[in-house]
Amino acid sequence: MYRFLLTPRWWGINVFAVLAIPLCIFMGSWQLSRFEDRVQSHQQQEDRSARAKAAAARPLERLLPVDTVTSGRQASARGRYDTAHQLLVPARTLKDKHGERQGFYVLDLLRTDGGKALPVVRGWLPGDAGAKADTAKVPAPPKGEVTVTGALQASENQGTDGVQAGGGLPRGQLGMISAASLVNIVPYEVYDAWITQTDPQAPLHAVPPAAAEGSGLDLKAFQNLGYTGEWFVFAGFVVFMWFRLFRRDAEAAKDAALGIVPEGGGGDDGGGDGAGVSVVASVSGGADRGDGPADGRGSGPGAGRGEEQGEAARAG
């Protein structure tokens, strides 16, 4: 009854199913492993951040370049603030016990002894960076040579939260904290990193360090989880369709073995012959019941009158 499985059509269906199901399971497992790696990396980053807060600060040069290991570590640098190039970073959100509040960062450039400048986010203030009443609260940076300590951060990019990469900001404002954004503002070299001060001056609020890119539970992590579900659903769909096709052809083969032919033509095997047999059986059945003569001529009063009219016409 299952000889239909040996047909070329079913060979193609079986080969497709055998290849598609393992592929879907493999891709789903791979996407799940990517999500688990991101979760583990997020936990490791949180542990490193907790240890970095308690650890002693290390010189900036020993922590560069910034990566997932050094991001968030306490770094120290010595130099003088460039008071002529104080910048405000607008539209930055700070999460604290009061919830999420909108404000701006206060950024100054520390001219280090090595010649390069280090961007330092001295703190955050609520309000609008374009309002004089709010910017008047910004304290002046310390004068003279100072040692600055804070959490090391990688340069921002267009995908960082709060970044305004489109430009068009007023003079004295910066949309993205990066060496590429500062190179056209200041006449000296800038480190491809920045730090956020741990203990800022009042009334500034400390800006907590952000997780290193690719180490947090961001949108990409949940995309991996969504792709995992999609691949497993594809595998289940292939199994469902294979079973549905198998059951349909198995029932058709069983009906053919019992001599049951669908109306309007049979299945793939001998459908036309079954229709012909049905027609012949119908005609034969009509002849056995006496519905008409075997030569195909009609019977009854109407038929008789037709024959008489024909004979009269010939006689005339």
Side-chain angles (χ1 to χ4, degrees), residues 25-101:
I25 294 176
F26 169 77
M27 292 301 297
S29 301
W30 179 71
Q31 290 289 350
L32 181 60
S33 66
R34 292 291 303 275
F35 174 74
E36 291 175 345
D37 290 342
R38 290 182 180 275
V39 172
Q40 184 179 4
S41 177
H42 175 68
Q43 293 174 347
Q44 292 175 350
Q45 181 66 24
E46 288 186 339
D47 295 339
R48 283 194 296 265
S49 298
R51 291 194 302 267
K53 292 180 180 179
R58 299 182 61 185
L60 175 67
E61 290 77 8
R62 297 183 183 180
L63 300 176
L64 295 177
V66 185
D67 54 22
T68 55
V69 176
T70 60
S71 179
R73 296 286 299 272
Q74 292 292 310
S76 63
R78 188 167 182 81
R80 294 175 179 269
Y81 279 115
D82 182 5
T83 57
H85 293 94
Q86 180 170 267
L87 299 169
L88 303 180
V89 185
R92 294 303 176 104
T93 302
L94 181 69
K95 297 179 181 179
D96 55 14
K97 61 182 179 180
H98 302 290
E100 293 187 359
R101 295 187 292 169

Side-chain angles (χ1 to χ4, degrees), residues 165-280:
L169 294 175
R171 183 179 179 86
Q173 294 188 19
L174 183 69
M176 181 168 60
I177 307 174
S178 67
S181 300
L182 291 166
V183 69
N184 295 324
I185 298 178
V186 295
Y188 41 78
E189 294 185 15
V190 180
Y191 282 108
D192 189 19
W194 58 282
I195 64 173
T196 170
Q197 270 193 290
T198 307
D199 298 317
Q201 297 174 257
L204 297 175
H205 300 265
V207 176
E213 185 176 1
S215 64
L217 294 179
D218 52 7
L219 179 61
K220 291 183 179 180
F222 291 102
Q223 283 179 343
N224 292 136
L225 188 60
Y227 294 152
T228 298
E230 288 181 0
W231 282 112
F232 288 149
V233 167
F234 291 159
F237 180 75
V238 173
V239 173
F240 168 75
M241 290 303 300
W242 185 95
F243 177 76
R244 183 176 180 181
L245 293 173
F246 172 80
R247 186 177 65 176
R248 187 192 68 177
D249 287 6
E251 290 177 352
K254 183 177 179 181
D255 292 344
L258 296 175
I260 302 174
V261 180
E263 294 182 359
D268 295 338
D269 299 332
D273 294 341
V277 172
S278 298
V279 174
V280 173

Side-chain angles (χ1 to χ4, degrees), residues 128-143:
D128 184 3
K132 292 183 178 180
D134 295 328
T135 57
K137 301 176 184 178
V138 177
K143 296 182 179 180

Side-chain angles (χ1 to χ4, degrees), residues 2-14 249 269:
Y2 300 127
R3 288 181 298 175
F4 63 86
L5 292 174
L6 301 178
T7 60
R9 172 173 172 266
W10 268 98
W11 270 107
I13 293 174
N14 290 333
D249 287 6
D269 299 332

